[in-house]
């Protein structure tokens, strides 16, 4: 299967260091020939590598404002976290208005869709009697992580569309009504805090609609900033609850009720998913999970520090009501995707062959130093052992194994250097029985 | 395939008593191995639950021991062996909610008396052998079919 990924390597900037390979939660990066390649099947677009790369060589590719020209009527779908980047320089309405100055005709706040999703989620939870806890599908990096590393938990994903998709579907409907144009002439563009959302929008499945394009927040930050002061205010329709989805704990609060837990940061998410897979936390009804520290305000494509952004978002939304005055009719916009496992980690499609390969991995792993130094280009000795068995590396790519090999050869060379042709050899000490005779 | 492909894979993980920080690492490692071999998600989940409960049993109730996973294509066997007080009444211990864990451990969220019942729910076969004052061996089999 082909996977589109928004996370890419900027060749000219990559120095071939090993910072990113160690941070990747799915061990999807290898350094080869001095560059950090991404293994496409494994990447979940969480953006950890973007965050950690000291050379800014990992980037995210999305759509640009030029794509707007493909449509006659364009609607911006700013993520709830979007406004956090510009406060306190401008009001909520003015920040939204600055998107209009970039060429959009209308704005549909994803925060408004988040309110619709929250309401539907609350209703779903009230009637749910199945395996607990249910897990939020809102963060696509978390969904990707579950597909790759925790596939047995896929049936615990809340079966509702994400606020981004709901916003895209409702915005299209409103755009068609407002412009009188056919749906294909109306463009919907999500303004994204992270690469995972870009990828999620591109990987349309089951023919269900999402946004027509995704513009990385970072790419338009400067343009928005420039227009901030002069922009005409654009009315906001969402409430503080929907905007709360922009930071960790906000989704939980907006859905409301007891036994809801929020987890943020990819390693904490892995920890908690491990516990759930082992049968724990069944007293929790719902898990809000976000791969980025602090939630979407900590997205890898954001500019402002996540903690500052969270504070700004709270300040900004404290001036609006907790709930919007009226919610658009959801219709069938909440229809979810069904997510399939991504068995990207297995050693072989055939179980018996894979088992045999695992034997070899265990044996190879024992020969390795356990330093996890990364000099071989793999994130750990264990991952390197798997690469060797998969035929993607050879054991002497390990500098410690190589050094040991060199030592053995060097000793042999020294040994050989001592030898003389038999014609020139002199008897050593001469106390051998044969010689004594 | 190579000649020894029929040979099961063995993973042995030593477990320390009262090591709550590392508790669960053994089960996580077994899970990773099974996932890389490519067992179906529901089999992996059952093994993950059983191995985790067996591991935490050793951490909480014994003086230490080991978890051994034996993996072949059609059966996964977990043997959890510990040195410890042993289980005086196995039948009682198999009942939900029965626990001898001290209160401070129960307050940490462990020792709710669901360990052995949870293992039994996940296992296709399960045996518990225990000698008082010597230790306990739990054998769990999960079939891949």
């Amino acid at each position: 299967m082909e996977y589109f990924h928004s996370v890419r390597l900027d060749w000219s900037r990559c120095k071939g260091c090993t910072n990113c390979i160690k941070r990747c939660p799915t061990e999807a990066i290898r350094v080869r020939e001095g560059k950090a390649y991404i293994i496409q099947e494994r990447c979940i677009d969480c953006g950890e590598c973007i965050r950690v790369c000291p050379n800014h060589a990992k980037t995210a590719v999305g759509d640009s404002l030029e794509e707007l020209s493909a449509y006659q009527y364009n609607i911006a779908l700013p993520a709830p976290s979007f406004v956090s980047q510009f406060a306190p320089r401008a009001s909520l309405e003015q920040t939204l208005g600055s998107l209009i100055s970039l060429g959009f005709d209308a704005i549909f706040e994803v925060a408004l869709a988040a309110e619709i999703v929250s309401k539907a989620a609350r209703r779903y939870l009230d009637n749910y009697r199945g395996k607990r806890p249910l897990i939020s599908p809102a963060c696509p990096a978390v969904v990707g992580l579950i597909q790759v590393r925790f596939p047995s938990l896929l049936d615990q994903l809340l079966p509702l569309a994400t606020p981004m998709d709901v916003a895209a579907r409702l915005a299209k409907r409103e755009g068609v009504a407002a412009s009188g144009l056919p749906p294909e002439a109306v463009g919907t563009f999500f303004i994204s805090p992270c690469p995972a959302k870009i990828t999620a929008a591109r990987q349309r499945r089951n023919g269900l609609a999402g946004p027509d394009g995704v513009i990385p927040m970072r790419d338009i930050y400067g343009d928005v900033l420039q227009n901030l002061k002069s922009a005409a205010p654009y009315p906001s329709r969402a409430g503080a609850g929907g905007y709360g989805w922009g930071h960790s704990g906000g989704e939980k609060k907006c859905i409301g009720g007891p036994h809801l837990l929020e987890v943020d940061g990819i390693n904490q998410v892995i920890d908690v998913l491990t516990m759930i897979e082992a049968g724990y936390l069944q007293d929790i009804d719902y898990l809000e999970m976000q791969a980025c520290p602090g939630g979407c305000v900590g997205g890898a494509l954001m500019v402002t520090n996540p903690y500052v952004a969270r504070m700004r978002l709270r300040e900004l939304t404290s001036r609006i009501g907790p709930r919007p005055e009226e919610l658009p009719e959801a219709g069938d916009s909440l229809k979810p995707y069904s997510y399939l496992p991504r068995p990207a980690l297995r050693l072989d499609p055939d179980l018996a062959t894979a088992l045999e390969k695992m034997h070899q991995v265990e044996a190879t792993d024992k020969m390795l130093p356990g330093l996890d130094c990364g000099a071989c280009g793999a994130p750990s000795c264990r991952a390197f052992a798997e690469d060797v068995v998969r035929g993607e590396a050879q054991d002497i790519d390990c500098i410690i194994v190589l050094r040991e090999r060199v030592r053995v050869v060097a000793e042999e060379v020294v040994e050989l250097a001592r030898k003389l042709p038999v014609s020139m050899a002199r008897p050593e000490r001469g106390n051998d029985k044969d010689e004594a005779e | 395939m190579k000649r020894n492909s029929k040979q099961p894979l063995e993973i042995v993980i030593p477990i320390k008593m009262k090591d709550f920080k590392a508790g669960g690492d053994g089960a996580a490692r077994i899970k990773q191995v099974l996932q890389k071999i490519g067992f179906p998600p529901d089999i992996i989940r059952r093994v993950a639950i059983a191995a985790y409960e067996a591991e935490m049993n050793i951490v909480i109730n014994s003086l230490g021991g080991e978890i051994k996973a034996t993996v072949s294509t059609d059966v996964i066997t977990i043997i959890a062996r510990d040195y410890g007080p042993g289980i005086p009444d196995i039948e009682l211990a198999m009942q939900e909610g029965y626990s001898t864990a001290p209160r401070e451990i129960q307050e940490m969220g462990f020792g709710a008396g669901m360990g052995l019942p949870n293992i039994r729910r996940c296992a296709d076969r399960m045996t518990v052998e225990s000698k008082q004052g010597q230790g306990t061996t739990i054998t769990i089999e999960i079939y891949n079919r």
Side-chain angles (χ1 to χ4, degrees):
Chain A
M1 185 173 167
E2 280 281 317
Y3 292 104
F4 166 86
H5 289 292
S6 64
V7 176
R8 305 283 171 84
L9 177 72
D10 180 342
W11 275 61
S12 59
R13 285 185 164 187
C14 180
K15 295 195 172 145
C17 72
T18 55
N19 282 296
C20 58
I21 58 174
K22 290 185 166 289
R23 272 284 274 277
C24 176
T26 53
E27 297 185 331
I29 313 174
R30 297 292 183 276
V31 179
R32 292 278 179 277
E33 294 165 350
K35 303 289 171 192
Y37 287 90
I38 300 171
I39 304 169
Q40 299 296 318
E41 307 85 70
R42 292 190 182 190
C43 176
I44 57 169
D45 295 274
C46 64
E48 285 294 312
C49 55
I50 296 181
R51 214 172 271 130
V52 74
C53 179
N55 307 310
H56 305 289
K58 287 278 195 274
T59 56
V61 178
D63 297 299
S64 70
L65 288 170
E66 281 151 37
E67 310 285 329
L68 268 61
S69 62
Y71 303 89
Q72 292 172 55
Y73 187 86
N74 289 291
I75 307 167
L77 315 170
S81 54
F82 169 78
V83 294
S84 71
Q85 305 294 293
F86 306 98
R89 299 185 198 92
S91 67
L92 173 60
E93 287 77 7
Q94 221 160 339
T95 310
L96 295 176
S98 69
L99 284 171
I100 298 288
S101 9
L102 299 191
F104 288 100
D105 299 290
I107 289 159
F108 193 105
E109 297 155 278
V110 175
L112 185 63
E115 306 265 6
I116 296 171
V117 172
S118 301
K119 215 173 133 191
R122 184 69 262 165
R123 208 177 315 128
Y124 191 89
L125 288 175
D126 287 341
N127 298 312
Y128 181 72
R129 295 287 170 269
K131 237 190 274 175
R132 291 197 305 171
L134 282 168
I135 304 166
S136 169
C139 174
V142 170
V143 173
L145 183 73
I146 293 174
Q147 288 176 296
V148 173
R149 286 187 55 176
F150 301 92
S152 78
L153 301 179
L154 281 172
D155 57 358
Q156 275 166 263
L157 285 171
L158 176 76
L160 289 176
T162 64
M164 174 180 81
D165 288 336
V166 172
R169 295 166 191 176
L170 295 179
K172 182 81 93 177
R173 194 176 74 189
E174 288 187 358
V176 167
S179 66
L181 292 163
E184 58 273 18
V186 175
T188 55
F189 288 87
F190 181 67
I191 315 295
S192 181
C194 70
K197 288 279 187 194
I198 302 176
T199 302
R202 288 278 178 89
Q203 285 179 355
R204 292 290 119 206
R205 272 158 298 212
N206 319 355
L208 289 169
D212 296 310
V214 181
I215 298 171
M217 173 39 235
R218 189 190 270 174
D219 294 2
I220 57 162
Y221 179 79
D223 292 337
V224 173
L225 211 54
Q226 214 164 31
N227 289 298
L228 211 52
K229 287 281 185 290
S230 58
Y234 190 96
S236 165
R237 293 152 73 194
Y243 270 105
W245 277 62
H247 58 71
S248 175
E251 175 182 350
K252 177 183 94 166
K253 197 173 168 198
C254 194
I255 292 173
H259 315 300
L260 275 64
L261 173 68
E262 82 270 29
V263 184
D264 60 285
I266 193 96
N267 292 318
Q268 300 298 334
V269 166
I270 290 170
D271 233 41
V272 172
L273 289 177
T274 304
M275 287 173 76
I276 298 172
E277 202 166 46
Y280 281 68
L281 300 178
Q282 289 182 23
D283 57 326
I284 311 273
D285 285 338
Y286 187 72
L287 271 175
E288 169 198 322
M289 294 195 130
Q290 276 149 326
C292 295
C296 296
V297 286
L301 302 178
M302 295 297 237
V303 176
T304 310
N305 173 281
Y307 294 93
V308 176
R310 183 173 62 189
M311 184 188 70
R312 299 299 184 212
L313 185 58
R314 282 182 179 150
E315 283 173 357
L316 202 71
T317 54
S318 67
R319 285 173 227 122
I320 59 176
R323 289 257 111 85
E325 280 161 28
E326 75 183 292
L327 285 178
E329 193 53 51
D332 58 0
S333 66
L334 288 161
K335 203 166 169 221
Y337 297 114
S338 48
Y339 296 98
L340 298 172
R342 278 171 55 185
L345 302 176
R346 66 183 180 190
L347 292 164
D348 198 278
D350 175 67
L351 200 66
T353 312
L355 182 60
E356 166 57 24
K357 284 185 176 171
M358 187 49 82
H359 271 287
Q360 296 169 18
V361 170
E362 293 285 331
T364 309
D365 195 20
K366 284 197 181 81
M367 290 168 14
L368 299 174
L371 272 175
D372 292 345
C373 68
C376 60
S380 66
C381 290
R382 179 81 190 175
F384 175 68
E386 288 173 22
D387 288 353
V388 170
V389 172
R390 286 174 201 270
E392 283 150 15
Q394 44 178 327
D395 58 354
I396 52 167
D397 292 340
C398 169
I399 54 167
I400 307 297
V401 169
L402 179 68
R403 186 176 168 276
E404 180 61 19
R405 217 50 77 76
V406 169
R407 187 184 65 80
V408 171
V409 172
E411 279 173 5
E412 265 174 44
V413 169
V414 170
E415 189 72 16
L416 285 172
R418 286 210 192 92
K419 299 245 189 245
L420 285 169
V422 275
S423 57
M424 298 167 71
R426 279 200 278 179
E428 277 179 43
R429 286 184 208 120
N431 51 1
D432 206 279
K433 258 190 186 169
D434 287 347
E435 275 179 38
E437 274 170 12
Chain B
M1 262 138 283
K2 296 260 171 72
R3 55 207 123 58
N4 56 349
S5 67
K6 287 283 173 279
Q7 202 180 307
L9 179 72
E10 244 176 43
I11 303 155
V12 182
I13 300 145
I15 312 290
K16 283 193 199 136
M17 67 178 284
K18 304 285 184 279
D19 189 356
F20 287 93
K21 200 67 206 159
D25 289 2
R29 167 145 151 67
I30 292 168
K31 182 216 142 168
Q32 260 174 11
V33 166
L34 297 184
Q35 197 164 43
K36 293 202 164 151
I37 296 171
F39 283 97
D42 61 305
I43 298 286
I44 292 176
R45 187 170 192 174
R46 282 164 60 203
V47 175
I49 294 174
Y52 184 81
E53 294 290 2
E55 181 173 359
M56 292 317 288
N57 250 346
I58 298 177
V59 171
I60 297 165
N61 299 313
S62 81
L63 304 171
E66 63 168 41
I67 297 259
K68 184 166 88 178
T70 309
V71 184
S72 68
T73 52
D74 40 37
V75 58
I76 296 146
T77 310
I78 310 274
I79 299 174
R81 187 177 287 128
D82 71 45
Y83 318 99
I87 304 174
D89 186 340
I90 293 174
E91 220 166 289
L92 196 60
M94 293 293 281
Q95 283 174 23
E96 289 186 11
Y98 176 80
S99 177
T100 57
R103 211 188 53 182
E104 62 269 23
I105 284 179
Q106 296 200 14
E107 277 166 0
M108 291 167 75
F110 300 105
M114 291 306 290
L116 292 180
N118 273 344
I119 294 174
R120 183 163 58 186
R121 255 197 293 280
C122 294
D124 289 307
R125 272 195 64 202
M126 174 187 183
T127 57
V128 183
E129 289 165 67
S130 192
K131 276 215 183 88
Q132 284 222 59
Q134 289 184 27
T136 303
T137 300
I138 304 175
T139 306
I140 304 152
E141 284 181 356
I142 292 167
Y143 304 134
N144 176 34
R145 57 185 171 203

